[in-house]
């Protein structure tokens, strides 16, 4: 049901109908997480999309019990109903895992072992990033994953982009080398890097909060700060930018070829057209544009053989970092880390 190297859209159930239309294309799919912890609502949404809509895009469900102030630990038992309903809906069965903190090897093993008992189950591994960044943790993780031999779906915790942290990209590549089918959930542009390096599927979140796992202490209790204004992807720099930053950069670099976009949301306008919308109105086109860019990039970087795709991805990251500097933006750390996966990265045109 999952074709290799699929790019999924990761959304909450209240966004699913809109996102399913965006994901209705070859090599794509939809991951639905509960909206405000309403697991029944997420199951009902998946059932509706499966049985009563005309949409045929592959669907996955992520219970996301590893997220939020009341997140569960890795040792928490799976909910048999959650697993059963996914199977009844004909979906791949993702475990409703709790959070695997740094050093919690027992929790990690417990998730993997319980998944081994689920036919074709996929172990969701919501990881503290130390599991990818620290050598001892990474060795334990890859050994345990190889031993279990079940498919895994990674979710990485970080305040911002986990792939901006040193060591995360290199750690991911080692996990992808374990020989088990691997998915990456709640990600952003690094999804494309993961697909180039052999991930079966990778899912890009619709909003900033769904593009990584926020550490518990950084989730505001009453959401007093409110959501941040939506960002979108600026294709030449392959990075998420606030619309206000895009608008400012355009003023100092008024080259029309740089700013216009032909996606369905932008329809040939310059990308800063969204500045005229308020934050709430902007959220949908910001993601529709980002999704169009991501699917276009996916088709461009995954057009060759495996070796070629990896080099092409690293070269694009180097180029995007160079363009960020040209525009006076700080280089997005993720771009540097992916650039450095190229075999001759020291000779690429950018220092540090
Ligand atoms: Zn666009």
């Amino acid at each position: 049901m999952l074709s290799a190297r699929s790019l999924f859209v990761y959304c909450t159930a209240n966004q699913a109908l809109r996102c399913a239309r965006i994901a209705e294309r070859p090599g794509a799919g939809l991951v639905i997480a509960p909206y405000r912890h309403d697991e029944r609502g997420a199951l009902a949404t998946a059932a509706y999309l499966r049985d009563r809509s005309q949409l045929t895009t592959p669907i996955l469900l992520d219970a996301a019990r590893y997220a939020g102030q009341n997140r569960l630990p890795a040792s928490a038992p799976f909910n048999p109903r959650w697993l059963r309903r996914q199977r009844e809906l004909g979906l791949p069965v993702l475990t409703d895992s709790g959070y695997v903190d740094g050093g919690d090897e027992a929790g990690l093993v417990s998730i993997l072992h319980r998944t081994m008992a689920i036919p074709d189950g996929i172990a969701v591994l919501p990881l503290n990033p130390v599991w990818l960044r620290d050598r001892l943790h990474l060795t334990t993780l890859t050994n345990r994953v190889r031993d279990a031999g079940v498919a895994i779906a990674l979710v990485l915790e970080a305040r911002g982009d986990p792939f901006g942290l040193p060591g995360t990209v290199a750690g991911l590549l080692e996990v992808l080398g374990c020989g088990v089918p691997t998915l990456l959930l709640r990600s952003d542009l690094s999804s494309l890097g993961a697909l180039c390096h052999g991930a079966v599927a990778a899912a890009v979140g619709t909003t900033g909060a769904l593009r990584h796992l926020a550490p518990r202490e950084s989730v505001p209790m009453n959401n007093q700060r409110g959501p941040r204004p939506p960002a979108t992807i600026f294709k030449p720099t392959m990075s998420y930018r606030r619309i206000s930053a895009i608008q400012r950069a355009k003023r100092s670099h008024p080259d029309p070829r740089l700013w216009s976009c032909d996606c369905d949301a932008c329809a040939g306008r310059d990308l800063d057209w969204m500045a005229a919308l308020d934050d709430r109105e902007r959220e949908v086109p910001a993601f529709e544009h980002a999704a169009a860019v991501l699917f276009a990039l996916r088709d461009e970087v995954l057009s060759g053989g495996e070796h070629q795709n990896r080099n092409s991805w690293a070269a694009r990251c180097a180029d995007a970092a160079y363009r960020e500097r040209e525009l006076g933006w700080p280089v997005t750390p993720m771009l540097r880390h992916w650039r450095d996966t190229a075999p001759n990265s020291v000779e690429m045109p950018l220092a540090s």
Side-chain angles (χ1 to χ4, degrees):
M1 125 151 236
L2 298 182
S3 58
R5 295 171 174 173
S6 293
L7 184 61
F8 277 59
V9 173
Y10 188 106
C11 68
T12 44
N14 57 321
Q15 305 168 329
L17 193 54
R18 207 165 59 217
C19 290
R21 293 196 187 98
I22 295 174
E24 184 74 4
R25 64 177 84 208
L30 189 66
V31 187
I32 304 171
Y35 177 61
R36 296 185 173 166
H37 307 288
D38 176 11
E39 292 183 8
R40 283 172 188 271
L43 289 163
T45 302
Y48 171 80
L49 287 172
R50 175 90 306 157
D51 301 332
R52 298 218 298 277
S53 79
Q54 304 298 314
L55 301 165
T56 58
T57 198
I59 295 171
L60 300 174
L61 283 163
D62 179 15
R65 297 164 84 207
Y66 52 75
Q69 289 294 336
N70 299 316
R71 69 187 186 191
L72 296 179
S75 57
F78 299 151
N79 176 354
R81 181 175 185 274
W82 178 258
L83 302 178
R84 190 181 66 242
R85 285 294 291 140
Q86 291 177 83
R87 200 175 295 286
E88 286 168 358
L89 289 167
L91 310 179
V93 179
L94 268 68
T95 63
D96 49 333
S97 309
Y99 169 69
V100 188
D101 206 348
D104 185 9
E105 185 178 354
L108 170 72
V109 169
S110 141
I111 290 174
L112 290 167
H113 280 186
R114 283 179 285 144
T115 307
M116 288 165 73
I118 303 167
D120 300 321
I122 299 173
V124 173
L125 297 180
L127 301 175
N128 182 306
V130 73
W131 284 104
L132 297 187
R133 301 179 65 203
D134 167 71
R135 172 47 54 193
L136 277 176
H137 276 82
L138 183 58
T139 303
T140 303
L141 174 66
T142 50
N143 285 340
R144 293 301 192 178
V145 162
R146 263 192 220 100
D147 289 349
V150 294
I152 57 173
L154 302 174
V155 177
L156 299 176
E157 182 185 49
R159 287 182 187 280
D161 177 7
F163 294 99
L165 303 170
T168 316
V169 167
L172 173 73
L173 300 195
E174 287 202 30
V175 175
L176 290 171
C178 282
V180 303
T182 301
L183 293 77
L184 176 64
L185 303 182
R186 291 175 94 113
S187 189
D188 57 31
L189 278 134
S190 288
S191 285
L192 300 177
L195 294 177
C196 287
H197 284 266
V200 174
V204 177
T206 49
T207 61
L210 301 177
R211 292 197 277 268
H212 62 145
L213 168 61
R216 182 155 55 183
E217 66 273 20
S218 75
V219 180
M221 283 298 281
N222 304 313
N223 214 10
Q224 290 141 334
R225 281 181 309 168
R228 301 182 69 193
T232 196
I233 299 176
F234 185 53
K235 192 179 179 197
T237 64
M238 296 209 302
S239 51
Y240 280 87
R241 295 285 162 187
R242 310 262 159 239
I243 305 297
S244 52
I246 292 170
Q247 204 173 24
R248 278 195 302 275
K250 185 181 136 181
R251 276 190 218 119
S252 46
H253 297 81
D255 178 353
R257 288 164 303 176
L258 204 53
W259 307 101
S260 72
C261 176
D262 291 329
C263 83
D264 286 349
C266 301
R269 288 174 284 187
D270 283 1
L271 192 47
D272 63 346
W273 72 269
M274 291 181 219
L277 308 175
D278 69 29
D279 283 354
R280 196 171 260 282
E281 294 168 328
R282 205 183 288 165
E283 199 171 276
V284 172
F287 183 71
E288 283 177 350
H289 164 82
V293 170
L294 283 160
F295 282 112
L297 282 171
R298 191 272 309 262
D299 294 345
E300 291 166 23
V301 294
L302 287 174
S303 57
E306 195 167 290
H307 187 68
Q308 192 185 342
N309 293 343
R310 290 174 184 185
N311 288 344
S312 144
W313 172 245
R316 275 173 177 273
C317 289
D319 186 55
Y322 180 78
R323 283 166 183 267
E324 284 190 323
R325 293 207 167 162
E326 277 190 328
L327 291 171
W329 289 339
V331 172
T332 305
M334 163 287 278
L335 293 172
R336 277 206 313 265
H337 299 141
W338 283 110
R339 175 201 66 188
D340 292 346
T341 60
N344 300 313
S345 60
V346 277
E347 290 165 32
M348 299 191 89
L350 214 77
S352 86

